[in-house]
Amino acid sequence: MTSQKPIAVGTNDSAQSQAAVLWAARRAHRAGLPLVVLHVVDDRWVAEPYPWFGTLQQAGEELLKTAVGRLEGAVPITPATELLTGSVGGSLAKYSKKTSMMVIGSGSGHFGGSLADRALQVATAAKVPVAVVGTQDLEGRSGVVVGVDGSPESTQAVAFAAAEADREGDELTVVYAVSVPDPIVDAGLTPATLADLIVDEDRVVLSEAVAGLKEDYPDLTVHQRLETDRGPVDALVGTAAGARLLVVGSRGRGAFKRLLLGSTAHGVLKHLPCPTIITRTQAAKNAI
C-alpha cells in the first residue's frame, strides 16, 4: 500500500448509497485504509439567511450518523464523516483529490435520472478511481472482469484489475469486443478473409493486454475473451453479470480527448451489472 489516503463514499440514504457505504467500509477494512462517509447538502438554490438552511444541514448530519450507525456490528471500522455543500457531483469530485478512491451508489430513477446526475458526474470529474455500487445481491459472486481496447487507459485498467483479482484470490477475465466487417464491405479481399485478418490482429491486442501478468501474478488465472458478436458495453455487462467486480478505463481508444468519460464506461454505468470501478491514467500509482 503506497497511499494512506482514505476511501470516501457519498451517501444520500438511498438503497444504492447504503449498499455503497457497506461496500466501501468492507474495502477500507480489508485494505487497512481510513473511511470517510460524505453527504452533500445541495445549497445552490438556497440564499442566506433562509432559516431552514440550518435545518438542511442538521438533517444531513443526522443522515451521516444513521449511515455510520448501520456499519456497527457489520464491519469493524470507525469511519469519519463530513458534510459538504454545493452540487452533489461537483462536490464529491472535488473532494476526491483527498482520497485514494471515491465510492458512490448507482442512483435511482427518482427525481430525474439520477445516474447521469450523480454517478456519471463523479466518474467523469474525479481524480481517482471511482467505484459505482448498485443493489445487486453479491452473494456467491466471484471473478474480476476488465475491458480492453489497446488504449493506455485500458492498459491501466488491466493492471488494476489483475492486482485486485490476485489480492482477493479471484480469476480475471479480460474482454475485448471488436466489430467484424459486414459482408458488403469491399477491401479487395473476400469478406471472410478480411474478417479473419481483423480478428487475428485483435487477438494480438488482447494478448498484449495480458502480457506480463503471469510474471507479476504467477498464481493468477487469466481468461482472454474476444467478442465479435456484441459491442463493448453489451459484452462487458454480459460477461460481468455474475462477477464480483468490473473494471473499465475512463476513456477508450476511440474517445475524443475532450471527453473525460468514454462511451463504453458511460454505457456500462447505465447498465451496471455489478460493482464497477472506473480507473484513470493519472491515478496509476494510487491504485488500491
Side-chain angles (χ1 to χ4, degrees):
M1 235 28 99
T2 60
S3 170
Q4 286 301 309
K5 288 185 176 181
I7 292 175
V9 55
T11 181
N12 61 6
D13 211 35
S14 66
Q16 292 88 347
S17 66
Q18 288 179 32
V21 170
L22 181 59
W23 187 93
R26 287 171 172 166
R27 187 176 186 92
H29 174 63
R30 291 196 308 271
L33 292 175
L35 175 68
V36 182
V37 183
L38 307 171
H39 176 67
V40 182
V41 175
D42 193 339
D43 65 349
R44 293 171 297 168
W45 52 276
V46 178
E48 296 286 7
Y50 285 135
W52 33 265
F53 181 60
T55 303
L56 292 177
Q57 290 181 306
Q58 183 177 356
E61 295 286 2
E62 290 299 321
L63 186 151
L64 286 172
K65 289 180 182 179
T66 299
V68 170
R70 290 194 184 97
L71 296 177
E72 294 181 6
V75 185
I77 192 171
T78 303
T81 62
E82 192 163 342
L83 189 69
L84 308 177
T85 58
S87 70
V88 176
S91 296
L92 293 178
K94 182 178 180 181
Y95 192 92
S96 71
K97 297 176 183 178
K98 305 176 183 180
T99 74
S100 56
M101 175 178 286
M102 178 63 70
V103 184
I104 187 170
S106 60
S108 70
H110 299 296
F111 308 114
S114 53
L115 188 72
D117 292 343
R118 300 292 184 266
L120 287 176
Q121 290 177 7
V122 177
T124 297
K127 306 302 180 184
V128 295
V130 174
V132 182
V133 180
T135 56
Q136 297 92 347
D137 182 5
L138 303 182
E139 187 68 28
R141 287 174 174 247
S142 64
V144 176
V145 177
V146 60
V148 300
D149 64 0
S151 67
E153 284 80 2
S154 74
T155 298
Q156 181 193 334
V158 171
F160 187 105
E164 172 78 19
D166 184 71
R167 183 169 57 247
E168 300 297 328
D170 271 317
E171 296 185 359
L172 176 66
T173 300
V174 183
V175 179
Y176 183 23
V178 298
S179 297
V180 175
D182 188 273
I184 65 172
V185 173
D186 181 8
L189 297 169
T190 65
T193 302
L194 180 58
D196 288 343
L197 287 174
I198 292 175
V199 168
D200 287 343
E201 290 178 359
D202 289 324
R203 288 192 188 282
V204 172
V205 172
L206 185 56
S207 296
E208 289 176 345
V210 301
L213 291 185
K214 199 62 180 176
E215 289 75 15
D216 294 335
Y217 307 104
D219 297 326
L220 177 63
T221 299
V222 180
H223 305 283
Q224 300 180 43
R225 186 163 182 170
L226 183 65
E227 289 272 0
T228 59
D229 296 326
R230 297 187 287 183
V233 173
D234 289 341
L236 289 172
V237 170
T239 304
R244 178 180 65 82
L245 184 71
L246 172 61
V247 181
V248 182
S250 60
R251 192 175 62 197
R253 186 171 59 183
F256 292 107
K257 296 220 176 267
R258 68 175 180 274
L259 299 180
L260 297 179
L261 193 68
S263 60
T264 297
H266 184 284
V268 165
L269 293 188
K270 299 277 276 188
H271 301 87
L272 198 73
C274 64
T276 297
I277 295 178
I278 308 297
T279 62
R280 298 190 174 279
T281 52
Q282 62 264 42
K285 296 182 179 180
N286 296 323
I288 57 172

